[in-house]
Amino acid sequence: MVQRNTWQRERVRSALAGAPGFVSAQDLHAELRGENTGIGLATVYRALANLAATGEADQLQSPDGEAIYRACASTGHHHHLICRVCGKAVEIQATEVETWAQATAVAHGFTQAEHVVDIFGTCADCTAATAARADS
């Protein structure tokens, strides 16, 4: 199904591109609502789903199980380090993970294996900010 390129979809795309890391549809909708765009939450969800389906956005699940999105800087399969505090995301190479995933699939008789590996933690800036608050 071909999606129309509406001004609402373009505004969601633009807001996502301006986000510092992964964001939820609810957070993106709150930002757009604060700008009085009139874009509804359902429209944000549809636009994000379309951007993820076309490879223009990364979609993954947060540790809480919520779908979060980020404008995609890379094409093809990749992995992320994601800060639980600020949402900052770093794309990483994971050659060892790729090798392990394929070997594990083959060892169990699986073909066409796919995997998702994203690592959640606390970035250096947020770790330093937490330490500074603890010291004061």
Side-chain angles (χ1 to χ4, degrees), residues 111-123:
T111 62
Q112 302 176 5
E114 297 178 4
H115 65 276
V116 176
V117 175
D118 294 301
I119 303 168
F120 290 86
T122 306
C123 72

Side-chain angles (χ1 to χ4, degrees), residues 98-116:
E98 301 300 330
T99 302
W100 170 82
Q102 290 306 315
T104 301
V106 168
H108 292 278
F110 281 68
T111 62
Q112 302 176 5
E114 297 178 4
H115 65 276
V116 176

Side-chain angles (χ1 to χ4, degrees), residues 47-102:
L48 290 172
N50 178 260
L51 291 171
T54 61
E56 294 179 71
D58 290 321
Q59 176 188 357
L60 53 95
Q61 278 194 316
S62 73
D64 300 329
E66 182 176 25
I68 53 178
Y69 302 85
R70 179 180 83 127
C72 191
S74 297
T75 58
H77 181 74
H78 56 279
H79 304 281
H80 306 97
L81 289 169
I82 304 142
C83 181
R84 283 189 197 103
V85 179
C86 70
K88 175 182 176 181
V90 177
E91 291 186 5
I92 58 171
Q93 295 296 319
T95 307
E96 297 87 0
V97 169
E98 301 300 330
T99 302
W100 170 82
Q102 290 306 315

